Amino acid sequence: MNNIVENLTTIKERIRTACLQAGRQESEVRLLLATKTVPADKIAAAIAAGETLIGENKVQELRDKFDALQSLPHETHFIGHLQSNKIKEVIRYTSCIQSIDRIDLAEKLNTRLVAENKTIDIFLQVNTSFEASKFGTEPGQAVAMAKQLQQFSQLRLKGLMTIGLFSTDLTRVAQCYRLLKTLQGEIQGSGIPVPELSMGMSGDLETAIREGATMVRVGTAIFGQRIYPDSYYWNEQQSAQ
Ligand SMILES: *Cc1c(COP(=O)(O)O)cnc(C)c1O
């Protein structure tokens, strides 16, 4: 557990330095802990160290860790691909769904929330890397999608989320993040406030902060390597194997 606290210190130092270099306030960037495959006791150690925001990719993991974490002060976002048959469960465990990328999903979510007399925060997920394997709305559809999402009474659109290119070529990664920032400008220009930009991970959070991230999602650099490849979480075909 010691190394979790150490790793958190390192990550926060990286965030601080990146903000400084980008001429931004440290308080403008929130750290979300990407906790897929991480057991509840390790998450609890991070919460004890002062972290309050976690993100899970699988409904199964939300359910499994819920009891152990319930009494600890934290907020949980859903950052994985959401299948509509999991809506009912996901809204029980999370305050925000960052992976809304299709209208039929938003519609089903809204219907369920009406029935439960609840509202939820959402982010529109955009596929900024144009890879067929990645989820997310096509960039060209993002403005139209944001407009449509506004129509749903129980959904509070807070911002945009992207995974971006998974590459060590940070120039190409930066292009993805810059595109998300551009789309934010276009959406806001049409009168829809989307203040949050959720982008940046362990390997590229400095790039994301430079391009305007308000939330970075960090897993590996805090909790260590995972046994599953990320494609297990990001690509439905592969996860079905
Ligand atoms: C796993 C994951 C992250 C964090 O990735 P790391 O490289 O482990 O920091 C961020 N966002 C999403 C959607 C993820 O699934």
Side-chain angles (χ1 to χ4, degrees):
M1 301 296 170
N2 266 345
N3 59 340
I4 291 178
V5 177
E6 265 169 43
N7 293 345
L8 277 170
T9 306
T10 308
I11 282 295
K12 282 157 109 168
E13 192 52 44
R14 281 177 60 188
I15 293 174
R16 194 205 330 274
T17 307
C19 285
L20 207 67
Q21 285 174 353
R24 302 182 59 200
Q25 297 293 322
E26 211 184 322
S27 59
E28 289 173 43
V29 182
R30 267 183 102 185
L31 172 61
L32 175 144
L33 310 182
T35 52
K36 55 179 178 260
T37 76
V38 177
D41 60 333
K42 291 195 173 176
I43 302 171
I47 295 173
E51 294 309 315
T52 55
L53 183 58
I54 75 168
E56 286 286 357
N57 295 62
K58 299 260 175 196
V59 174
Q60 171 85 45
E61 287 194 58
L62 281 173
R63 189 193 308 135
D64 290 349
K65 299 174 205 176
F66 184 75
D67 283 344
L69 299 177
Q70 192 179 15
S71 63
L72 307 178
H74 74 290
E75 180 189 342
T76 306
H77 289 193
F78 191 74
I79 61 172
H81 179 63
L82 181 57
Q83 286 156 327
S84 45
N85 62 352
K86 299 280 167 63
I87 284 173
K88 202 176 157 182
E89 257 199 304
V90 87
I91 60 180
R92 191 181 309 157
Y93 300 121
T94 60
S95 60
C96 177
I97 300 172
Q98 294 199 8
S99 48
I100 298 297
D101 62 356
R102 34 193 215 286
I103 288 300
D104 69 314
L105 177 69
E107 194 162 3
K108 285 179 185 140
L109 176 62
N110 194 65
T111 302
R112 185 67 222 168
L113 288 163
V114 167
E116 296 194 16
N117 193 23
K118 273 170 109 174
T119 59
I120 201 164
D121 291 345
I122 58 163
F123 287 28
L124 171 61
Q125 182 176 354
V126 183
N127 180 359
T128 55
S129 63
F130 298 93
E131 293 164 286
S133 63
K134 294 273 173 69
F135 295 111
T137 298
E138 279 174 45
Q141 298 296 317
V143 177
M145 275 285 288
K147 284 184 184 157
Q148 283 181 278
L149 290 175
Q150 278 250 304
Q151 318 287 315
F152 295 110
S153 58
Q154 316 305 105
L155 309 183
R156 309 267 173 258
L157 180 62
K158 296 287 179 182
L160 308 178
M161 184 273 241
T162 198
I163 292 177
L165 195 68
F166 199 59
S167 166
T168 51
D169 182 352
L170 292 180
T171 311
R172 292 177 65 208
V173 177
Q175 284 170 357
C176 297
Y177 295 157
R178 199 165 304 152
L179 174 56
L180 200 69
K181 178 80 187 172
T182 302
L183 294 171
Q184 179 192 38
E186 286 176 20
I187 293 167
Q188 302 208 126
S190 73
I192 302 168
V194 278
E196 300 283 351
L197 285 184
S198 172
M199 57 191 194
M201 308 188 296
S202 291
D204 59 23
L205 66 91
E206 288 84 357
T207 305
I209 289 172
R210 197 172 56 236
E211 299 301 335
T214 63
M215 192 182 283
V216 291
R217 308 180 307 265
V218 181
T220 315
I222 296 167
F223 300 108
Q225 289 295 333
R226 294 176 289 269
I227 19 170
Y228 293 103
D230 284 336
S231 55
Y232 174 76
Y233 292 91
W234 294 344
N235 183 302
E236 209 163 40
Q237 269 86 49
Q238 293 191 36
S239 74
Q241 284 172 8

